[in-house]
């Protein structure tokens, strides 16, 4: 794809023209080690695709020599789609597993002495056999837990012999005694080897081994791929890092993208230290921060900043503090309820009101910590006639009605279709399945079926708006691409999802529910401070899913009439209006660290303290009521120059901004 003359330069500059200053700086850093710290809503995918496009159009990259890896097939598909829109073809954008599968299939005859082994797509059958061999009595839930422990062990490079000590050190809570789990793990590996099969972790492990131990394979792979991009780098586990290191072979042409504040998968083996320690590993790395949040209102951003600002500072890369770029809107709401059904009923009523006011149901989400919390919300939404979609359930393209519809559409396409008649043709085909537009059934499975088929029609309408000449064959091909990428069309319904499942998504209105201690943070985390902080980041992820409307709620009792004794989540202390500690006395706040600043920041901090003392005397309140030392420290470190920048700092809400904002900015610029 080598190009000469003025055209490539103009195309490269056009790629940069669509970016803000920080995104442009990241896009222009096309060589050497690069770390892009991308906060929620800051245009991460846009930045990395434009960076690749700039590298290609400026002649630095040969597209076929670029490998971009991410964690989901949908994310990889989105990368490919955006690169195509930027006139970049040939770049490999894949998940870790898809990239390893492709390479291992090619090298298997040389490395394994034969064709690619079969792949175990579901561990449960083999795990069940291994458990029975070790005389463990299991049910489906314990089998899933055993499979999860084996996956964790393999992703952290722990052998069966290593597992007990490693599990104890990591604070794991296995479904059986650690020694018993290790025995099942060993039996599982033996059975797998006997059958000549690989699991998904083996794909990465064997591929890394092939490169590490076979010089010819290493030379071929490293000649093919010279530039690497790793998305969501905060979620990389030791096994994935080992494969990345094998691909790199000591080279430093790697760009990693991540957000330390969204590290929420440590329980699966993810290790944020790879991101936090990137600059230590590559001292000459370019580190670029993306902090302009284009997703959420300043009010949502301010709450997210205050939440994460209460977390202990972690060693490594500099922290991120989001700056909201959207127009102001209402403040997030905090609502207490007597019991869970009352909380669910109130949320359902609010969802209905939003829909009645014109908001699409698909732009509303209810987020909870554990999937078991969904049932009461399913019931409450059904009671008020609001459709909902349970994320994490059956995959869209695997639903029976969708499979049937795709088969019928494919058959109709084989007979030919007229460009410009796509939408009527799709409607006619689905009508043969009993689907009728504007007549959804009352509820239950029939309504779910109707919504699935309606989503196909809506997708056809959207695609025709983009390409009026699209015919039925093209539509069927598009559906196949989406199915491969697990990219389901939008189903009109309020989304019910766990906080983990919500990562990477966004909605106009978000209800974060069930915020009581023991749920957020989850009770299993309470004995380990590091686990509690991951729970804080999980709540941060949930909050930053909201574009405009955000509600946080909790209930004091589980059932009507129950004792109202459940403490509100500790993470809301200091965030909810008028909030103070609500937990039992045993839950004392951590001792505040003494603030130590040097240079100009230290001088500004002392000026701010002097101003605060005067403001407190004038208002006849203690100094900390004006601003805490932590807030003054944040002001001194960041030196905000506008009200918007000031509002994004921890401990500064709308009321304090109104009372003290002008004085603070004047003190900063003195």
């Amino acid at each position: 794809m080598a190009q000469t003359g003025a055209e490539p330069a103009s195309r490269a500059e056009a790629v940069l023209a669509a970016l803000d200053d920080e995104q442009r700086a990241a896009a222009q850093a096309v060589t050497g080690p690069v770390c892009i710290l991308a906060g929620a809503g800051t245009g991460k995918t846009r930045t990395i695709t434009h960076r690749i496009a700039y590298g290609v159009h400026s002649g630095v990259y040969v597209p076929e020599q670029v490998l971009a890896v991410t964690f989901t097939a949908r994310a990889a598909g989105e990368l490919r789609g955006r690169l195509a829109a930027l006139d970049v073809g040939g770049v490999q954008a894949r998940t870790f597993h898809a990239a390893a599968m492709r390479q291992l299939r090619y090298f298997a005859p040389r490395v394994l002495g034969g064709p690619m082994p079969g792949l175990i797509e579901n561990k449960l059958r083999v795990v069940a056999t291994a458990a029975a061999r070790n005389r463990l009595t299991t049910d489906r839930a314990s089998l899933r837990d055993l499979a999860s422990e084996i996956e964790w062990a393999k992703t952290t490079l722990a052998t069966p012999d290593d597992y007990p000590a490693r599990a104890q050190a990591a604070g794991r809570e296995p479904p059986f005694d650690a020694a018993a789990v290790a025995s099942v793990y060993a039996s599982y590996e033996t059975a797998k080897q006997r059958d000549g099969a690989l699991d998904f972790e083996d794909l990465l492990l064997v591929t890394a081994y092939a490169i590490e131990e076979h010089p010819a394979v290493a030379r071929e792979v490293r000649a093919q791929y010279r530039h690497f991009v790793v998305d969501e780098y905060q979620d990389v586990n030791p096994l994935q890092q080992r494969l990345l290191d094998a691909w790199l072979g000591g080279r430093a042409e790697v760009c990693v993208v991540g957000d330390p504040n969204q590290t929420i998968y440590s329980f699966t083996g993810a290790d944020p230290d790879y991101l936090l320690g990137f600059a230590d590993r590559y001292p000459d790395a370019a580190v670029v921060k993306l902090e302009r949040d284009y997703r959420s209102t300043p009010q949502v951003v301010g709450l997210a900043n205050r939440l994460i600002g209460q977390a202990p500072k972690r060693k490594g890369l500099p922290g991120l503090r989001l700056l909201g770029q959207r127009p102001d809107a209402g403040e997030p709401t905090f609502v207490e309820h007597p019991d869970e059904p009352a909380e669910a009923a109130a949320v359902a009523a609010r969802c209905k009101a939003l829909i009645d006011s014109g908001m699409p149901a698909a732009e509303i989400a209810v987020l909870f910590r554990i999937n078991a919390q969904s049932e009461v919300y399913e019931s409450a939404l059904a009671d008020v006639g609001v459709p909902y979609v349970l994320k994490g359930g059956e995959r869209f393209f695997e639903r029976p009605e969708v499979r049937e519809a795709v088969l019928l559409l494919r058959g109709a396409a084989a007979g030919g279709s007229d460009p410009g008649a796509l939408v009527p043709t799709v409607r006619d085909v689905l009508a043969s399945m009993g689907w009728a537009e504007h007549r959804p059934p009352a509820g239950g499975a029939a309504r779910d079926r109707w919504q699935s088929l309606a989503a196909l029609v809506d997708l056809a309408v959207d695609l025709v708006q983009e390409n009026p000449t699209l015919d039925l064959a093209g539509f069927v091909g598009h559906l196949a691409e989406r199915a491969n990428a697990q990219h389901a069309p939008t189903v009109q319904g309020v989304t019910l999802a766990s906080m983990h499942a919500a990562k990477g998504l966004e909605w106009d209105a978000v209800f974060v529910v069930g915020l009581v201690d023991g749920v957020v943070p989850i009770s299993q985390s309470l004995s380990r401070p590091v686990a509690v902080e991951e729970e804080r980041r999980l709540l941060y992820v949930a909050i930053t899913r909201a574009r405009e409307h955000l509600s946080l709620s909790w209930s004091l009792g589980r059932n009507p009439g129950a004792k109202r004794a459940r403490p509100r989540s500790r993470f809301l202390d200091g965030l909810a209006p008028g909030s103070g500690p609500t937990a039992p006395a045993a839950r004392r706040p951590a001792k505040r660290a003494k603030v130590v600043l040097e240079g100009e920041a230290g001088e500004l901090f002392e000026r701010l303290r002097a101003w605060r003392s005067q403001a407190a005397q004038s208002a006849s309140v203690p100094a900390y009521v004006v601003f805490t030392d932590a807030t003054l420290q944040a002001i001194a470190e960041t030196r905000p120059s506008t009200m918007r920048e000031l509002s994004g700092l921890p401990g500064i809400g709308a009321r304090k901004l109104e009372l003290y904002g002008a004085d603070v900015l004047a003190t900063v610029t003195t």
Side-chain angles (χ1 to χ4, degrees):
M1 199 167 180
Q3 299 172 349
T4 59
E7 182 187 359
S10 62
R11 294 168 77 187
E13 290 303 315
V15 166
L16 296 179
L19 306 177
D20 67 31
D21 291 345
E22 294 77 22
Q23 293 170 343
R24 188 177 299 114
Q28 289 179 296
V30 291
T31 59
V34 178
C35 179
I36 302 174
L37 295 175
T42 58
K44 167 178 66 76
T45 304
R46 179 184 186 85
T47 301
I48 59 178
T49 50
H50 280 66
R51 178 182 179 274
I52 293 171
Y54 179 74
V56 170
H57 292 318
S58 63
V60 177
Y61 297 161
V62 175
E64 291 77 12
Q65 294 179 345
V66 179
L67 176 59
V69 288
T70 188
F71 282 80
T72 67
R74 177 173 181 174
E78 184 176 1
L79 285 175
R80 291 192 294 270
R82 293 204 188 192
L83 287 170
L86 293 169
D87 197 24
V88 174
V91 170
Q92 296 296 305
R94 300 180 180 276
T95 65
F96 272 98
H97 289 92
M101 170 95 74
R102 190 168 190 240
Q103 293 173 22
L104 189 57
R105 182 175 286 123
Y106 178 77
F107 290 115
R110 266 188 275 174
V111 175
L112 303 176
M116 175 80 175
L119 189 64
I120 298 174
E121 296 192 5
N122 189 323
K123 290 183 173 69
L124 291 189
R125 179 186 60 81
V126 184
V127 171
T129 301
R133 186 172 291 118
N134 286 273
R135 299 180 179 179
L136 289 183
T137 301
T138 59
D139 55 18
R140 190 166 184 83
S142 60
L143 286 176
R144 285 197 298 266
D145 289 342
L146 279 169
S148 295
E149 284 303 295
I150 291 172
E151 288 175 2
W152 175 83
K154 298 190 73 168
T155 59
T156 58
L157 302 176
T159 66
D161 290 341
D162 295 335
Y163 173 80
R166 296 277 292 275
Q168 182 179 9
R172 304 292 291 181
E173 295 185 0
F176 299 96
D177 178 81
V181 174
S183 296
V184 173
Y185 178 14
S187 297
Y188 167 85
E189 289 294 302
T190 299
K192 185 163 52 66
Q193 292 165 8
R194 184 186 62 243
D195 294 341
L198 301 177
D199 60 23
F200 280 103
E201 291 74 42
D202 291 331
L203 281 179
L204 276 59
L205 187 62
V206 177
T207 303
Y209 170 83
I211 299 170
E212 292 164 350
E213 300 299 326
H214 293 76
V217 172
R219 284 193 297 272
E220 194 167 340
V221 170
R222 292 166 187 164
Q224 173 66 52
Y225 298 115
R226 298 178 181 273
H227 302 277
F228 296 85
V229 178
V230 186
D231 193 12
E232 303 286 4
Y233 193 59
Q234 76 278 351
D235 294 333
V236 161
N237 60 48
L239 177 55
Q240 291 162 334
Q241 183 65 45
R242 178 174 171 180
L243 178 58
L244 177 61
D245 289 340
W247 283 336
L248 285 166
R251 297 171 295 174
E253 290 299 323
V254 58
C255 171
V256 300
V257 189
D259 180 1
N261 294 337
Q262 296 191 66
T263 303
I264 59 172
Y265 289 110
S266 294
F267 69 97
T268 67
D271 189 343
D273 287 346
Y274 294 123
L275 175 63
L276 295 171
F278 188 82
D280 292 332
R281 188 175 186 184
Y282 298 101
D284 59 339
V287 178
V288 183
K289 295 201 296 183
L290 304 184
E291 297 179 299
R292 300 192 203 191
D293 186 327
Y294 297 98
R295 173 190 299 157
S296 305
T297 66
Q299 287 71 26
V300 172
V301 167
L303 178 63
N305 282 337
R306 292 194 295 276
L307 171 67
I308 209 68
Q310 293 178 349
K313 185 174 177 57
R314 291 185 288 174
K315 294 181 179 179
L317 295 166
L320 291 171
R321 182 172 284 113
L322 299 177
L323 299 171
Q325 303 297 300
R326 294 189 58 180
D328 287 337
E331 291 285 346
T333 62
F334 297 79
V335 189
E336 183 176 277
H337 298 278
D339 52 67
E340 289 183 4
E343 183 179 4
V347 169
R350 183 59 183 145
C351 289
K352 187 176 189 305
L354 288 171
I355 294 169
D356 290 344
S357 71
M359 182 178 291
E363 287 297 344
I364 305 172
V366 179
L367 306 183
F368 33 76
R369 175 61 179 87
I370 54 177
N371 288 322
Q373 294 171 272
S374 74
E375 184 176 358
V376 67
Y377 290 92
E378 294 178 54
S379 177
L381 290 168
D383 286 346
V384 296
V386 171
Y388 62 85
V389 178
L390 187 60
K391 185 168 178 58
E394 188 176 29
R395 289 179 178 174
F396 180 84
F397 286 101
E398 294 175 1
R399 297 175 185 174
E401 66 272 17
V402 174
R403 293 166 68 94
E404 180 184 354
V406 171
L407 284 174
L408 291 174
L409 290 168
R410 186 177 296 125
S417 63
D418 296 329
L422 174 61
V423 175
T425 303
V426 172
R427 286 179 176 143
D428 288 345
V429 170
L430 299 186
S432 70
M433 298 174 58
W435 181 80
E437 191 171 12
H438 304 310
R439 290 210 301 273
R447 188 181 184 99
D448 290 344
R449 174 184 170 89
W450 186 92
Q451 289 176 325
S452 296
L453 300 179
L456 293 175
V457 176
D458 291 345
L459 178 60
V461 171
D462 292 342
L463 292 175
V464 166
Q465 290 178 346
E466 298 175 7
N467 180 9
T469 64
L470 184 68
D471 62 8
L472 188 57
F475 180 63
V476 170
H478 181 82
L479 291 178
E481 293 175 0
R482 278 179 169 260
N484 288 334
Q486 300 173 21
H487 185 187
T490 300
V491 177
Q492 281 302 327
V494 171
T495 300
L496 300 179
S498 71
M499 296 179 187
H500 282 100
K503 188 171 181 295
L505 304 176
E506 57 187 77
W507 296 270
D508 284 345
V510 170
F511 296 85
V512 186
V513 300
L515 296 177
V516 296
D517 249 37
V519 178
V520 183
I522 199 76
S523 57
Q524 296 93 310
S525 71
L526 297 181
S527 62
R528 300 174 58 239
V530 66
V532 170
E533 289 310 313
E534 181 145 324
E535 293 285 303
R536 187 195 305 276
R537 295 192 294 272
L538 184 58
L539 179 56
Y540 174 87
V541 167
I543 288 172
T544 55
R545 301 309 94 194
R547 297 191 190 104
E548 185 171 354
H549 302 279
L550 174 64
S551 171
L552 299 98
S553 62
W554 60 94
S555 52
L556 299 177
R558 186 177 302 279
N559 299 307
K563 185 178 180 180
R564 300 178 182 181
R566 300 196 302 182
R568 181 188 62 212
S569 171
R570 66 189 66 191
F571 298 144
L572 300 185
D573 292 353
L575 300 182
S579 67
T582 61
R587 199 185 81 200
R588 295 186 175 91
K591 184 178 179 181
R592 187 180 307 278
K594 183 180 179 181
V595 176
V596 179
L597 296 175
E598 298 178 351
E600 292 184 359
E603 295 173 2
L604 176 55
F605 178 72
E606 293 304 324
R607 292 204 305 274
L608 288 166
R609 281 172 58 92
W611 163 81
R612 182 184 64 178
S613 177
Q614 294 176 355
Q617 288 178 4
S618 298
S620 299
V621 297
Y624 71 83
V625 172
V626 179
F627 285 126
T628 65
D629 279 358
T631 298
L632 296 187
Q633 180 181 3
I635 296 170
E637 289 176 336
T638 59
R639 303 185 71 89
S641 59
T642 66
M643 287 289 197
R644 173 164 291 183
E645 291 178 357
L646 184 61
S647 68
L649 299 182
I652 301 181
R655 179 63 176 161
K656 290 192 176 183
L657 195 67
E658 178 184 350
L659 290 173
Y660 307 122
D663 289 344
V664 168
L665 293 179
T667 304
V668 170
T669 57
T670 299

